Amino acid sequence: MGTALIRLDHATFSYGGAPVLRDVTHAIEAGAFTGVVGPSGSGKTSLLRLLLGTERPQHGSVTRAPGTAVSYVPQLETVNWDFPVTVAQCVLMSRKQRRLVPWPTREEQADVAAVLDRLGIFELADRHIRELSGGQQQRMFIARALLRKPDLLLLDEPTSGVDVATRHEVLHLLDELNRNGLAILLTTHDLNGMAAHLPHLMALNVGVIATGRPADVIVPDVLERTFGARMEVLQHLGMPVVVENSHLGVAG
């Protein structure tokens, strides 16, 4: 920790109308593991786009340390699972080098095999992507991201639409990757199942409402300013637990 990979300084961004992000200042340091929480429309996806460099702020700045590599894992719900490709082929599509020759080199094949083995899905290399379970699908897309050897991994709602077992599987995998030195930033609406288990959180709703440990961010005052409604927070085994509110759909 201590070295900023990407720094946002008073970044404001819009798609032509009212700002979807306003005056955001935040530094993502090497080895960080941060979850960004907020309601739909709070600017979470736009924040990822600024960090990826696919969008630029109208005001303020986004600065990336020289040589910093960033990879992105999209929401599984956006993927066409009928696309005719195997697991290994899907991972290989993220290779850095694009050449006129379409087939992979032996080195690229070895890199794909190594990353699939690292994530425990080597035996699925020749399987069609639609035949995977939810946890296996997420591992495949994380493998795609890791093939590019990133310093920072960005994930958009990595546990959206998955069952409890898959959620725990993804969380444990990301924790292991982070312990091995990979910086991670993810967005999530899952306050209890995901956010409460992360070491650092950012509450976002156009602007940064609060940052810190889950115990400092998952508190009634911050949640009310973030989600626009009062929520009760209990303590269970030393962790904050948001009381389920089906109308808001944020407790997870």
Side-chain angles (χ1 to χ4, degrees):
M1 299 290 291
T3 302
L5 300 176
I6 302 182
R7 189 181 301 275
L8 297 95
D9 289 305
H10 302 286
T12 295
F13 174 72
S14 77
Y15 294 98
V20 293
L21 290 171
R22 181 185 294 111
D23 198 32
V24 174
T25 295
H26 184 71
I28 302 176
E29 298 181 339
F33 192 176
T34 298
V36 181
V37 299
S40 177
S42 62
K44 300 192 298 297
T45 299
S46 297
L47 176 65
L48 294 182
R49 291 172 178 168
L50 290 184
L51 295 173
L52 281 169
T54 58
E55 299 284 0
R56 296 181 181 275
Q58 282 80 32
H59 303 284
S61 63
V62 180
T63 306
R64 184 181 298 189
T68 298
V70 182
S71 286
Y72 170 68
V73 177
Q75 290 190 40
L76 295 182
E77 297 171 354
T78 66
V79 176
N80 177 8
W81 294 105
D82 291 323
F83 191 78
V85 67
T86 67
V87 170
Q89 290 168 339
C90 183
V91 172
L92 185 63
M93 288 177 180
S94 71
R95 59 184 173 176
K96 290 183 178 180
Q97 299 298 324
R98 301 292 182 181
R99 306 183 313 279
L100 294 178
V101 179
W103 49 84
T105 65
R106 289 183 179 180
E107 181 179 0
E108 289 171 338
Q109 290 175 323
D111 287 344
V112 170
V115 74
L116 291 178
D117 184 60
R118 179 182 180 186
L119 270 65
I121 54 173
F122 177 77
E123 71 281 1
L124 304 177
D126 296 325
R127 188 171 297 184
H128 190 282
I129 60 173
R130 67 170 169 263
E131 299 174 8
L132 305 180
S133 68
Q136 292 167 344
Q137 291 172 349
Q138 195 59 270
R139 284 176 180 265
M140 179 187 68
F141 272 93
I142 292 174
R144 277 175 55 94
L146 295 183
L147 188 68
R148 301 180 67 86
K149 298 179 173 58
D151 303 293
L152 170 64
L153 180 63
L154 304 176
L155 304 99
D156 193 5
E157 298 281 359
T159 58
S160 177
V162 303
D163 56 29
V164 173
T166 300
R167 184 176 65 197
H168 285 298
E169 179 183 343
V170 171
L171 181 61
H172 291 154
L173 172 60
L174 294 178
D175 181 66
E176 179 184 345
L177 293 173
N178 178 250
R179 289 178 184 273
N180 287 329
L182 181 63
I184 297 173
L185 183 141
L186 60 87
T187 64
T188 182
H189 68 280
D190 187 359
L191 294 177
N192 291 332
M194 174 64 80
H197 296 271
L198 301 178
H200 184 261
L201 295 178
M202 173 195 294
L204 181 72
N205 194 343
V206 182
V208 177
I209 307 300
T211 62
R213 301 173 304 155
D216 300 321
V217 174
I218 304 180
V219 296
D221 176 63
V222 171
L223 295 180
E224 183 172 7
R225 287 188 286 141
T226 303
F227 292 95
R230 189 73 177 174
M231 302 181 196
E232 185 176 0
V233 179
L234 307 177
Q235 293 293 320
H236 178 66
L237 300 177
M239 297 179 62
V241 178
V242 181
V243 174
E244 183 73 31
N245 188 323
S246 59
H247 175 66
L248 293 171
V250 296

